[in-house]
Each structure stands twice: as C-alpha cells, then as structure tokens.
Amino acid sequence: MSLTDLKRKQQKQKPQKVSIEEFIEDAVNYAEGKPSQLQKSAKPKKTAPRKFRHATFSLSETSIRQLDNLAQSTGITKSRLLRMFIHYYFDLSEPEQQELLEQLQDLTPPSAQ
C-alpha cells in the first residue's frame, strides 16, 4: 500500500431528491439523447410538511377484505378511502351521525365490536 492510498478522498455529493415524474421525464430525455434536465435544476426544493401521520388500527378480516375490494374496484387507496369516510361522517349533522351509527350497529356482529 502506498501513501496515495491513504489520501482522504473527496466526499461525494448527496444525490438530489427528485419526484417520480421528474425521474421518468429525465429518462425519456436520456433515451432521446438530450442532456439531463435534473442536473441543470439542482436548486434545493422546499419540501412540504407531511400532511398525514401513520396510524395502526385493528379491523376484522371481513372489514379488511371489504376495504381491499373497494380499493381495487375504485382505484382509490385504502388510506384515502378511510379519510373520505371519516370526512363524510363529520360533515353530517349530529342527528344524521346518530342515525348512521344506529344503522351500523345493527350491521356489525357483536364479536367485531
């Protein structure tokens, strides 16, 4: 081993974070022989604060299956569907909320409550 091997190597710059759309667009440019657009726009972008928090819930097998089926048939993610349902419920008036809860109590088996 020579002394040149002991030299401190320059630290590599961290790759910039890009969106999937930007990555695909740059891949298309590369395939067409055009220069990379990502290296030109190396400005740091401000990231938006996270809108969602991760949460864990326990659901019955039936509820999970129904949610999976609904997500597949609509093309909407399960998380978004749940957010939509919650939003819908809170947009109801208090009497409408009570009526809906009473209707749902009749549909829910006692073991799933």
Side-chain angles (χ1 to χ4, degrees):
M1 181 187 328
S2 68
L3 292 178
T4 57
D5 293 336
L6 298 175
K7 282 185 186 176
R8 175 181 268 176
K9 296 179 181 172
Q10 286 184 342
Q11 292 182 348
K12 294 181 182 178
Q13 292 180 348
K14 292 182 181 179
Q16 73 185 62
K17 293 183 180 180
V18 296
S19 70
I20 293 173
E21 291 81 14
E22 291 172 322
F23 178 83
I24 293 171
E25 186 177 318
D26 201 51
V28 171
N29 287 339
Y30 177 81
E32 295 174 350
K34 296 179 182 175
S36 172
Q37 299 296 316
L38 296 178
Q39 292 178 4
K40 290 180 184 177
S41 64
K43 300 174 192 171
K45 295 182 179 179
K46 293 182 181 178
T47 57
R50 287 185 66 183
K51 294 180 182 178
F52 307 114
R53 284 186 33 207
H54 180 77
T56 303
F57 299 95
S58 297
L59 300 172
S60 68
E61 288 295 324
T62 304
S63 296
I64 293 170
R65 191 171 38 257
Q66 290 170 335
L67 187 59
D68 285 338
N69 291 341
L70 189 56
Q72 286 180 350
S73 67
T74 62
I76 301 172
T77 64
K78 293 180 274 188
S79 295
R80 181 171 164 96
L81 283 170
L82 291 172
R83 287 191 300 269
M84 291 166 60
F85 296 149
I86 292 168
H87 182 78
Y88 169 79
Y89 175 81
F90 273 93
D91 277 350
L92 297 174
S93 67
E94 208 168 312
E96 291 171 323
Q97 288 177 352
Q98 278 305 113
E99 182 181 337
L100 180 60
L101 286 176
E102 288 170 8
Q103 290 174 0
L104 294 175
Q105 286 288 22
D106 296 339
L107 296 176
T108 309
S111 62
Q113 293 177 358

